[in-house]
Amino acid sequence: MNLPVLLALLLGAASALHLRTPNFESPGGDESQPQNGETAEHEAKEVPGGELTQLSIDEDGGSGSECALEEERAVKAISDLGTVDKSFQCPKKEDTVELVGSPGYKTYQRYLLVRQPMNFNYAQYTCQCCYRGQLTSVHNFNFNNHLQCLIRGLNYGQVWIGGLVTGVGHCRRFRWMDNSSWNFGYWAPGQPAIYNGHCVTLCTRGGQWRLSHCYTQLPFICSY
């Protein structure tokens, strides 16, 4: 076979191969259609990052322990607000006001306003030591409004109740010092704001709740 004939056969085979190549592309021949790798990357970007973060948190077996540890630290910090010294004395009777006629509560439950300002830790200790009770918990609007009506004459703008907020984000926990269920809240606008503190106060005007630094000296309400 001479050289010209051989070259012609090679060129014909190459042309046939080139003509068959489009058969491997999409029928529409749309060159802008993304490939599999590009499509997967685009879909991954559309998944909200918060969902991915939350998923990793939920699947993390240690996340619950982490939240429990954070709460334990916060509670310990409150218990360390001040060691009650040997000279501690219960409030004088003239510094307390019996709160009567509390609606929606069992008849044996009593409530006492202590007008002597104390930090959260001392207030809780006073309720326990002097009255065998706890800083009060609030579980409905009627009782919250009742308390506010009884304390609105105080010169202080806020009083301690027994609420405590620990942690942030998925670790945030709400608890009452008497270990009752947290089934009600009456927060002021913008609350609860952890940067203001971790301990819950009830405002003497309006009755809304705010977080305050636990070392703040305020009057408080005991239940016993």
Side-chain angles (χ1 to χ4, degrees):
M1 183 179 296
N2 57 28
L3 183 60
V5 174
L6 179 61
L7 290 175
L9 290 174
L10 290 174
L11 288 175
S15 299
L17 179 62
H18 177 72
L19 291 173
R20 285 197 299 267
T21 301
N23 292 335
F24 292 100
E25 297 179 356
S26 61
D30 185 3
E31 296 180 357
S32 64
Q33 180 176 348
Q35 301 300 312
N36 292 339
E38 296 174 351
T39 304
E41 182 181 358
H42 178 66
E43 291 175 350
K45 289 181 180 179
E46 290 182 349
V47 177
E51 291 182 12
L52 295 176
T53 303
Q54 187 63 45
L55 181 62
S56 64
I57 291 171
D58 292 341
E59 292 179 347
D60 181 7
S63 61
S65 300
E66 179 185 343
C67 293
L69 180 60
E70 185 172 343
E71 182 173 1
E72 182 180 347
R73 287 173 179 170
V75 173
K76 184 179 185 302
I78 290 171
S79 66
D80 290 342
L81 282 173
T83 302
V84 179
D85 55 37
K86 296 180 180 179
S87 63
F88 172 82
Q89 295 182 349
C90 292
K92 298 178 181 179
K93 190 173 182 178
E94 56 265 29
D95 289 329
T96 65
V97 178
E98 189 81 24
L99 304 181
V100 296
S102 303
Y105 271 69
K106 298 178 181 179
T107 55
Y108 62 80
Q109 195 82 39
R110 303 173 67 183
Y111 301 91
L112 188 74
L113 168 66
V114 180
R115 293 182 291 188
Q116 180 181 342
M118 300 183 189
N119 66 38
F120 188 88
N121 192 55
Y122 261 83
Q124 172 67 7
Y125 180 84
T126 300
C127 292
Q128 291 176 329
C129 180
C130 301
Y131 310 110
R132 296 183 180 180
Q134 309 277 344
L135 284 170
T136 191
S137 57
V138 182
H139 299 280
N140 61 66
F141 176 78
N142 288 337
F143 180 54
N144 192 84
N145 185 61
H146 182 70
L147 289 180
Q148 186 270 324
C149 291
L150 293 172
I151 65 175
R152 60 187 173 188
L154 284 175
N155 292 330
Y156 289 81
Q158 298 167 292
V159 299
W160 291 126
I161 55 178
L164 179 65
V165 181
T166 62
V168 294
H170 73 284
C171 282
R172 188 160 68 171
R173 298 289 183 270
F174 300 79
R175 57 171 291 186
W176 293 109
M177 298 305 291
D178 63 6
N179 293 319
S180 59
S181 61
W182 190 283
N183 53 9
F184 172 76
Y186 191 49
W187 297 103
Q191 294 289 326
I194 296 295
Y195 57 82
N196 287 337
H198 291 274
C199 298
V200 181
T201 66
L202 187 151
C203 298
T204 57
R205 292 187 179 181
Q208 293 178 312
W209 301 357
R210 294 182 179 274
L211 287 180
S212 295
H213 293 294
C214 304
Y215 53 74
T216 307
Q217 304 280 321
L218 292 173
F220 53 96
I221 301 173
C222 298
S223 61
Y224 58 101

